Amino acid sequence: MSANADVIVVGAGLAGLVATHELVKAGKRVVIVDQENEANLGGQAFWSLGGLFLVDSPEQRRIGIKDSRELAMQDWMGSAGFDRERDDHWGRQWAQAYVEFAAGEKRSYLSELGLKLMPNVGWAERGSGLANGHGNSVPRFHIAWGTGPEVVRVFREPVLRAVADGLVTFAYRHQVDELIVEDGAAVGVRGTVLEPSTEERGVASSRTAVGEFELRARAVVVTSGGIGANQELVRQNWPVDRMGPMPDNMICGVPAHVDGRMLGITEGAGGNIVNRDRMWHYTEGIKNWDPIWPNHGIRIIPGPSSLWLDATGRRMPIPAFPGFDSLGTLEHIARSGHDYTWFILTQAIIEKEFALSGSEQNPDMTGKDFKLLLQRVKKGATGPVEAFKENGEDFVVRDNLRDLVDGMNAIAPGPQLDYEQVEKEVAARDRELDNAYTKDMQIMSIRNAQNFLPDKVTRVAKLHKLQDPKFGPMIAVRLNLLTRKTLGGLETNLDSQVMRPDGSAFDGLYAAGEVAGFGGGGVHGYNALEGTFLGGCIFSGRAAGRALGRSL
């Protein structure tokens, strides 16, 4: 295959579409190369809930949230914990620039493309318990009306118009194996043409080769994603010293094509990778009873009320409460010697507080269906949540605690739970509800959440004792660890240009999205505030496209 192009974009996910959109606006010709078929256009972003981190937005102000650049920067830096002089050099600058973007142009940039937001604002990653530590001090999680597919759409449509105009060409089922570098500059790619695939989006596809290809251009932008589906790479990069040993069993939160191949290929060509030990995985994973990709897991986005027990039936430590500190909780679990934990809750809690991450698990918001959305508020648990409760192998539903523990033991892959231990934890928690005040930090956090009106109305169940039959039946959920995001990656400057190990810029080579740690090789540092992954793809893809639009 040959093409007359100014830029080759490797990867047809969100960052690649954003970069291409900006290049087209500058009148440049682009070839987008992707190893998957056309059904996967938009990549991993399509499967997302469409959460976007915004600061001091109209949606926040409308419901009384007082946010600011200063508060957001305090939260970002407290979470990131940047401590590597060399490897965090660009990450720090990207962090500053990204918070400025989130507090400034980001909302209008997306609005002008036609993206609309839900009126309520979610409170993700509530943090580790200190004002200057990890976590969001205020709610900042804005969900796109239409979720991930809508975020993809607003960039896909102008790119497809550019295809009709002759400015953009797609090369699907083209797997890049090599970056072509001449006289120190990236000038193209070589690779394997894979056999045609008619698989649906997300389904693992064939890697049977039917040919070879070479493409040349004036610059290359790598937007190929992270390593979340490649457990061998996850294990190689796992931060054992910081997090303890990698658990033996983790389910997969991303499609099989999120394989990390381009990281090694770009490094082999001379690009610099930093912070490869920083990653983002979830602790509230459940096995998909109707899987799309291999080992398919879904994340529960929990409200604050479920009682969280470890594999032995003991309560998780502070701040390992639902929705507070993902990586802190992951570290505790990894060091426990077990790779699963338990939620204990009630029907009242699951109806009000359980949401499932993913566009396909939220048909009301994804389909922009107001009538179906209203049922979520009026009738409790969504259809997908109830389907998991009925069909998911991780769920146990019983009328009383003793039977519930028996059911938990029937599916426990590790130690058998002692009923007396579990009953002790449940009873201790329930006694704290007899007064309007408490020493229990989780109960305090629930009451704090109830002071935030959107949470009170849509996300937090009325405080009640877990063994009160009026709120039953009782439910237990076995929680698996779920692979997801790469926080480190190709080091890039603020133009998304890849850096070499000696600190110089790599001529003609750019990277954006997860492959670049969402900017700079690690804009998040050690920890993320949620709603920042899609936004990182948008911001870094935009930077690459605009820089090349100016320079070519």
Side-chain angles (χ1 to χ4, degrees):
M1 177 181 181
S2 61
N4 178 22
D6 296 301
V7 180
I8 296 167
V9 174
V10 181
L14 179 59
L17 289 175
V18 176
T20 301
H21 170 63
E22 292 293 338
L23 285 162
V24 167
K25 285 165 57 178
K28 307 304 177 185
R29 295 182 178 273
V30 182
V31 176
I32 302 177
V33 181
D34 197 281
Q35 64 187 5
E36 299 305 313
N37 63 16
E38 186 175 0
N40 288 277
L41 183 59
Q44 199 175 330
F46 179 91
W47 299 104
S48 77
L49 189 59
L52 295 163
F53 176 93
L54 294 172
V55 178
D56 193 26
S57 69
E59 290 75 19
Q60 287 176 301
R61 295 194 295 270
R62 194 175 297 126
I63 52 180
I65 298 170
K66 297 179 180 179
D67 201 4
S68 67
R69 286 174 169 82
E70 293 76 16
L71 183 61
M73 201 68 218
Q74 172 180 298
D75 288 346
W76 194 289
M77 300 305 286
S79 298
F82 293 120
D83 61 0
R84 296 171 177 172
E85 183 176 355
R86 168 63 180 84
D87 290 356
D88 286 334
H89 171 74
W90 286 110
R92 291 175 188 270
Q93 295 182 60
W94 273 92
Q96 182 72 46
Y98 183 72
V99 171
E100 290 292 326
F101 179 59
E105 189 184 355
K106 181 178 180 181
R107 188 181 183 281
S108 62
Y109 177 72
L110 295 171
S111 178
E112 288 169 4
L113 287 163
L115 190 73
K116 299 184 184 302
L117 303 174
M118 297 281 290
N120 61 312
V121 183
W123 199 351
E125 284 296 299
R126 303 188 187 207
S128 58
L130 294 175
N132 60 354
H134 168 59
N136 286 295
S137 295
V138 297
R140 298 189 176 106
F141 192 79
H142 299 65
I143 297 177
W145 181 233
T147 68
E150 181 69 0
V151 178
V152 170
R153 180 193 70 80
V154 301
F155 291 101
R156 181 190 68 233
E157 289 187 351
V159 168
L160 292 181
R161 288 194 295 269
V163 172
D165 292 339
L167 287 174
V168 174
T169 302
F170 279 96
Y172 293 112
R173 302 296 287 161
H174 283 57
Q175 179 180 267
V176 173
D177 300 320
E178 179 187 356
L179 291 173
I180 302 173
V181 179
E182 294 176 353
D183 297 324
V187 296
V189 295
R190 295 190 185 98
T192 303
V193 181
L194 303 175
E195 68 177 351
S197 168
T198 59
E199 299 288 358
E200 295 183 2
R201 181 186 292 273
V203 176
S205 64
S206 165
R207 290 295 178 264
T208 299
V210 295
E212 297 177 345
F213 72 94
E214 178 175 310
L215 291 169
R216 288 176 175 262
R218 298 166 68 189
V220 177
V221 183
V222 178
T223 62
S224 55
I227 67 173
N230 188 334
Q231 292 221 1
E232 181 180 348
L233 271 182
V234 173
R235 189 169 298 280
Q236 287 177 16
N237 294 326
W238 187 271
V240 175
D241 292 344
R242 190 172 75 251
M243 299 289 291
M246 179 176 167
D248 291 334
N249 298 298
M250 297 183 74
I251 56 178
C252 189
V254 295
H257 61 74
V258 186
D259 56 18
R261 289 182 73 254
M262 284 305 301
L263 280 163
I265 291 168
T266 309
E267 184 179 32
N272 192 39
I273 296 177
V274 294
N275 303 313
R276 58 181 93 217
D277 64 319
R278 295 178 183 170
M279 52 187 75
W280 181 263
H281 306 300
Y282 288 114
T283 55
E284 312 98 331
I286 50 178
K287 297 175 183 177
N288 196 341
W289 64 274
D290 187 19
I292 297 170
W293 54 77
N295 200 23
H296 188 173
I298 297 291
R299 185 209 174 192
I300 296 170
I301 304 175
S305 299
S306 296
L307 183 67
W308 204 339
L309 305 179
D310 68 16
T312 70
R314 288 169 173 77
R315 195 168 177 185
M316 298 281 280
I318 298 171
F321 303 143
F324 272 68
D325 185 355
S326 292
L327 291 193
T329 304
L330 176 62
E331 178 182 354
H332 175 79
I333 296 169
R335 293 187 183 280
S336 75
H338 304 289
D339 49 26
Y340 68 97
T341 55
W342 299 98
F343 273 171
I344 291 182
L345 58 148
T346 64
Q347 181 66 26
I349 292 173
I350 200 172
E351 287 181 357
K352 197 73 173 283
E353 298 194 5
F354 266 38
L356 299 174
S357 181
S359 55
E360 81 284 10
Q361 301 298 330
N362 295 274
D364 49 356
M365 293 186 289
T366 300
K368 303 180 185 179
D369 189 328
F370 285 103
K371 185 177 180 181
L372 193 58
L373 181 66
L374 189 60
Q375 291 179 6
R376 180 190 293 247
V377 177
K378 287 187 173 181
K379 295 186 177 180
T382 64
V385 169
E386 279 294 326
F388 266 91
K389 193 185 81 173
E390 294 297 323
N391 301 300
E393 65 180 86
D394 297 304
F395 285 74
V396 180
V397 183
R398 300 289 189 273
D399 289 329
N400 60 74
L401 183 60
R402 185 172 289 278
D403 289 346
L404 189 75
V405 173
D406 288 344
M408 294 163 73
N409 279 330
I411 65 169
Q416 292 288 286
L417 297 166
D418 176 65
Y419 170 75
E420 302 298 333
Q421 173 62 37
V422 176
E423 196 279 334
K424 176 182 175 183
E425 298 287 6
V426 172
R429 180 260 188 203
D430 284 356
R431 288 189 195 101
E432 294 293 315
L433 302 185
D434 290 336
N435 294 285
Y437 45 87
T438 178
K439 72 175 183 179
D440 189 294
M441 296 295 290
Q442 184 177 4
I443 304 301
M444 290 183 193
S445 74
I446 295 169
R447 290 178 174 148
N448 186 40
Q450 289 173 330
N451 285 326
F452 176 48
L453 184 60
D455 269 3
K456 183 177 182 179
V457 173
T458 65
R459 281 290 280 158
V460 183
K462 179 181 178 181
L463 264 173
H464 60 273
K465 296 186 177 183
L466 296 175
Q467 296 194 75
D468 188 337
K470 291 187 299 183
F471 297 91
M474 298 189 76
I475 302 167
V477 186
R478 181 182 58 192
L479 303 174
N480 307 273
L481 302 179
L482 179 73
T483 63
R484 185 63 67 85
K485 297 293 183 186
T486 311
L487 296 187
L490 294 170
E491 185 183 25
T492 59
N493 63 21
L494 289 176
D495 284 335
S496 288
Q497 188 171 12
V498 173
M499 309 304 290
R500 293 182 177 276
D502 65 3
S504 63
F506 198 136
D507 287 346
L509 186 60
Y510 293 71
E514 191 173 351
V515 74
F518 302 94
V523 65
H524 297 95
Y526 288 97
N527 223 333
L529 291 173
E530 289 284 26
T532 57
F533 301 127
L534 292 181
C537 290
I538 292 166
F539 188 50
S540 59
R542 190 181 84 144
R546 289 188 173 184
L548 285 167
R550 292 189 303 266
S551 64
L552 293 183

